[in-house]
Amino acid sequence: VEASIPEPQRAAWSRNQIQSFTDKDGFEKEVVRHVETTLARSMFNCDESAAYSATSLAFRDRLIKDWNKTQQRQTYRDTKRVYYLSLEFLMGRALDNAMLNVGLKDAAKGGLADLGFRIEDIIGQEHDAALGNGGLGRLAACFLDSLASLNYPAWGYGLRYRYGIFKQEIIDGYQVEVPDYWLDFNPWEFPRHDVTVDIQFFGHVSKTTKDDGKTAAIWEGGEIVQAVAYDVPIPGYDTPTTNNLRLWSSKASGGEFDFQKFNNGDYESSVAEQQRAETISAVLYPNDNLERGKELRLKQQYFWVAASLYDIVRRFKKSKRGWNEFADQVAIQLNDTHPTLAIVELQRILLDIEGLEWDVAWDIVTKTFGYTNHTVLPEALEKWPVGLVQYLLPRHLQIIYDINLYFLQTVEKAFPKDRDMLTRVSIIEESQPKMVRMAHLAIVGSHKVNGVAELHSDLIKTTIFKDFVEVYGPDKFTNVTNGITPRRWLHQANPRLSELIASKCGGNGFLKDLTQLNRLEAHAKDAAFRREWAEIKYANKVRLAKHIKNVTGVTVNPAALFDVQVKRIHEYKRQQLNIFGVIHRYLTLKGMSVEERKKQLPRVSVFGGKAAPGYWMAKQIIHLINAVGSVINKDEEIGDLLKVIFLEDYNVSKAEMICPASDLSEHISTAGTEASGTSNMKFVLNGGLIIGTCDGANIEITREIGESNIFLFGNLAEDVEDLRHAHNYGSHSIDSDLEKVFGTIESGTFGTPHDFSAMIAAVRHHGDYYLVSDDFHSYMETHRLVDESYRNQDEWVSKCITSVARMGFFSSDRCINEYADGIWNVEPLVVQE
Ligand code: F55
């Protein structure tokens, strides 16, 4: 019950909010206050960790005001909201981002200096929020930044994992996984113990007859787990809009313990139940582009989806509108198929709880949802055994069957004699055991389906979802090419470059309208500007070199060409192609006279990325990279000419250091396999060139920056099928240079050859599915072009500047505006301050 306080009194309180700091002195006072009161410590023994905590708390206070106002404004204006449902939000650190977005980083820098700290050290204290695997999770985080920066009324919904993606250690060249417990001190989340939802699992369905004579389904029995909301403020850049990311945490229902059991003396099983409930949000599944069909994963999905929908529906109901207006007020985007049960859950709410007719409900559902696909790899497409769904969510399975029935009826009308068509598009796969195909359900339940880069969006229309294009027509399928936020990936990661760019682009406007980068183009030919540009790149390389020395003990020459491939380790991303290429380079150098060697360009090959713990081949690739590094890095004949570094525990905050330090980055997936890629965008935006295949967003990057500014190589997506066929059925001989590489590995140069035999066999004997041998020659030739190009530094730097000038398209702001226009039909909420 709310206390009845007169409205004018409330308004007065609301106006008279706590004043937050606006300058250095105000910031210092706040830090001291937090150290001495919130943290109950003395300024005399305030270490970096305490300074981080106090600084974060000061900025957190600063955000709360705008956050509350934003929520009030959105409620008051009552406009359509966007809900972004994602099982992953790979946020990275929050403090630096918050300081930059509210425009008070300089104040904090000065204040911390007065207190005896360097701001970089304080920022470095923060633990990454790593609630994601890779590209998909980081995309969700970039989208939140853009949604807030562009003033869209938007919420993110996710799971509050106790353990994010594991921490990677490299021990004797092998990956070892260590749990990432990140919640010890997290000032960026606000527990909402009053915002809870009871989530039901298991049980059974019975039928009742309602007053009007119609039958209704009742889902009863089973068990209840409680979802508790934790809210994270998402500040926009240079705007008061501060949106909300709501993460759900699981808890046993009925509070701390089941008191009935407790009172019956069954203390242990009451604690056990508590722990079982908490398991649901305990850990992020560490697989990228692989679905393993675990029961707990399905529980996670339903738990999160049901809590989110309950919350969304509750908010809608407060507006006192009719259901016919639901889709005008609510847009829900499904980040891949992981939240697809939301479609079924909304239909269940409308049908079973709100009592709407099936067709009326279904119309609302399909108008509400949009689905984004992120992969065509078959092993990543989600399918759940019908039996498992039946057991966990009996009512949902019935609804899925009904959705499928009505859908197949319409297909049959359109394609009367095509039984194969029905089998192919069915939501249920008639296999042993039967499976629910989540992508099919997501397509049928959404009004738009999008891919994440042009090639990928074309591929889904012509391959995995071809039949659905026939059923629905082509307009249901669309493309929204991915983007990245220039705030984090340029301004925050590379402050000096950002400043240099601002000096030529008429200020910081480019951070909100990235197309303004085109003003740089005129300066690519300016020698003085190029010198400044190159000097910044060099300083960034020095910083990375220091980090490399710190963590690996290897000294690298910052004047060498830094060649970087950092991303999840996966055969389709072809880190094996890269390391085979490195071995080939090594053999070539070894075969040279001392005189010849002197003419060669020094290189540092940097690798980084995690392998899914159960992905054996990916772990072998990591082992080979480390084995090669440990031989080459101590070969005195080679010295600075070639170094091979594996940086352990690649994550968002390391990416912020690595991207600005690369000369060349590698995006070399087998054509047609990488849906988009987003690190390609980050590297180019930071003034590095890329070597890549005609895949994903590489193609659009090429179109934007020009063919002469990118090193493309390899076979095209359209040739992949024939090439694979040739490996399996034709006569196919493997590139002789690649055979030399294999021979060297097999001779024991990099340790026990047996350790690497499976990687070689995959190419030689198992059909070379990822076409490493087909692309090896053109890859090596293209690396030769890179070397040649890098020798002409003026031209190289010109290419870098021109490329950056043409990267405006790849802002996630452009991308979010396309979703808002073409899929969500929402508009920004103009802020009048
Ligand atoms: C995680 C879990 C499952 Cl079950 C399936 C996939 C993933 C995952 O992490 N996928 C992923 O990161 N996909 C990537 O999405 C990016 C953003 O759209 C793309 O750029 C990238 O090409 C794609 O691989």
Side-chain angles (χ1 to χ4, degrees), residues 803-817:
S803 301
V804 173
R806 299 174 180 174
M807 281 297 284
F809 180 75
F810 299 99
S811 169
S812 46
D813 295 347
R814 183 270 312 151
C815 184
I816 283 299
N817 283 326

Side-chain angles (χ1 to χ4, degrees), residues 723-743:
L723 290 167
R724 282 186 181 151
H725 188 86
H727 279 286
N728 289 318
Y729 304 102
S731 65
H732 187 92
S733 65
I734 285 172
D735 181 272
S736 59
D737 282 335
L738 184 58
E739 276 297 356
K740 272 189 219 141
V741 170
F742 289 170

Side-chain angles (χ1 to χ4, degrees), residues 135-136 287-291 297 338 374 482 572 674-677:
L136 172 149
N287 305 311
D288 72 312
N289 286 302
L290 178 75
E291 183 48 59
R297 168 88 171 177
H338 317 151
H374 296 266
N482 281 168
Y572 88 78
E674 188 72 277
S676 160

